[in-house]
Amino acid sequence: MHPVTAPYDQGLLDVGDGNLVHWEVSGNPYGKPALVVHGGPGSGSSPRSRRYFDPEAYRVVLFDQRGCGRSTPHASDPAADMAVNTTAHLVADMERLREHLGIDKWLLYGGSWGSTLILAYAEAHPERVSEIVIAAVTTTRRSETAWLYEGVGRFFPEAHERFRAGAGGASDVVGAYAALMNHPDRAVREKAAADWCAWEDAVLSMEGMGTPYTDRVDDTRLGFVRICSHYFAHGAFLEEGALIRDAHRLAGIPGVLIHGRLDMGGPLTTAWELARAWPDAELQVVERAGHLGGEETGQRILAAVDRFAKG
């Protein structure tokens, strides 16, 4: 990967509704603009993602989506209004950030939830996107969410039973967790967040990469689970299947989709369907990788980003 770089500029952008979105820029101020769209939703940006970009070639923008990272108010605060935290709000924030930074077009890179947000933005503003690189493709359809929080439970019945118990046996497990994450008692929220993260880690347990969700602590974990359950309980505030249905809007935008065949949380089907609907997308299947990727996935991301640096 490319060398570690520090941001040369950063700030808080007022995006309305009382929200300030944190952003930072690194690399070459005159380089090719690229935006890193983090996952979660609610994970916050990671400095490590800058290392996929040649700092001599790229002007790399990172931002924390509403309610997480260094953006304010933080979703761990019960007073933070989740009604103004939707996919449409995040797409508008990205466009406002582009205008604020004086960027005409940018490459979009991200994975997991980040791929959903990338697709939503690119389909709304295709003229502002030069290329797209996505790892662990998701479109956050209700069918995909149902698989992640119900269907895949057949492979992890013990963990899934505990997960369902944490929701009080509710038929709508995700909706029940979303309600718990808005409970006035912090102890109730902390218990729900811990149960949610334990399930997420169970789904990824065969990838041998530890417990990345449980490792989140305190307000970071509370904010993450509150945002996740909020989005997933509402179908990401998108019409079911809209992102694949409207992928024709991406015509002319080169894309690379990188997906692990062993991704238990997000099966390959979604990436396959998207690649068939988007004529300029190249699907790369990493045979032994899961949702978190690994060395080969990282090398493929790096190769795609390096290739587009020349465009």
Side-chain angles (χ1 to χ4, degrees):
M1 297 178 74
H2 293 289
V4 176
T5 56
Y8 64 80
D9 194 12
Q10 59 185 308
L12 287 167
L13 178 65
D14 187 342
V15 293
D17 309 310
N19 280 266
L20 299 176
V21 166
H22 186 272
W23 58 270
E24 60 184 42
V25 188
S26 62
N28 181 352
Y30 306 101
K32 181 187 182 81
L35 178 69
V36 178
V37 184
H38 68 70
S43 291
S45 60
S46 169
R48 184 180 182 277
S49 59
R50 298 190 205 113
R51 298 194 61 203
Y52 287 119
F53 298 87
D54 180 350
E56 297 297 322
Y58 278 101
R59 179 187 179 192
V60 186
V61 182
L62 273 63
F63 77 110
D64 294 322
Q65 294 159 31
R66 291 191 183 202
C68 68
R70 287 169 285 180
S71 294
T72 62
H74 199 271
S76 60
D77 181 354
D81 184 5
M82 298 302 290
V84 293
N85 197 329
T86 70
T87 301
H89 286 97
L90 301 186
V91 168
D93 293 349
M94 291 164 66
E95 183 63 0
R96 187 169 297 190
L97 178 59
R98 182 193 64 78
E99 293 173 348
H100 176 72
L101 296 175
I103 291 171
D104 181 48
K105 284 188 174 185
W106 46 10
L107 175 148
L108 303 179
Y109 160 69
S112 194
W113 159 257
S115 61
T116 297
L117 188 51
I118 283 172
L119 293 169
Y121 175 88
E123 290 178 11
H125 303 283
E127 73 283 359
R128 298 304 181 187
V129 181
S130 56
E131 301 91 9
I132 294 173
V133 178
I134 292 174
V137 180
T138 70
T139 64
T140 319
R141 291 175 290 187
R142 290 183 182 274
S143 59
E144 294 171 49
T145 300
W147 168 260
L148 178 57
Y149 296 105
E150 284 290 339
V152 75
R154 70 193 66 182
F155 294 99
F156 309 99
E158 311 95 324
H160 195 249
E161 184 175 278
R162 292 191 292 270
F163 179 58
R164 290 189 61 85
S171 57
D172 178 6
V173 178
V174 174
Y177 272 98
L180 288 168
M181 292 309 301
N182 285 297
H183 196 281
D185 187 339
R186 182 181 174 98
V188 171
R189 301 197 304 275
E190 288 180 341
K191 170 67 164 53
D195 290 341
W196 179 284
C197 289
W199 169 246
E200 296 275 14
D201 282 336
V203 174
L204 301 179
S205 58
M206 294 193 295
E207 298 188 26
M209 295 190 181
T211 54
Y213 291 96
T214 302
D215 290 348
R216 302 169 194 264
V217 297
D218 303 327
D219 286 353
T220 299
R221 181 191 292 180
L222 288 175
F224 167 72
V225 177
R226 189 178 182 210
I227 294 173
C228 275
S229 58
H230 169 68
Y231 272 83
F232 297 160
H234 292 91
F237 304 93
L238 295 167
E239 183 182 343
E240 182 73 357
L243 295 182
I244 292 178
R245 180 198 68 200
D246 296 338
H248 62 89
R249 297 179 182 174
L250 306 176
I253 301 174
V256 176
L257 311 176
I258 303 164
H259 202 96
R261 191 177 294 281
L262 305 181
D263 188 338
M264 294 291 288
L268 180 59
T269 305
T270 296
W272 175 260
E273 292 173 349
L274 178 61
R276 290 172 67 85
W278 176 7
D280 297 284
E282 169 192 334
L283 175 60
Q284 299 181 13
V285 180
V286 185
E287 293 295 334
R288 297 185 180 182
H291 191 74
L292 298 177
E295 184 175 354
E296 183 177 352
T297 298
Q299 290 301 317
R300 290 184 184 226
I301 295 169
L302 190 65
V305 172
D306 280 349
R307 184 207 313 175
F308 290 139
K310 303 169 185 176

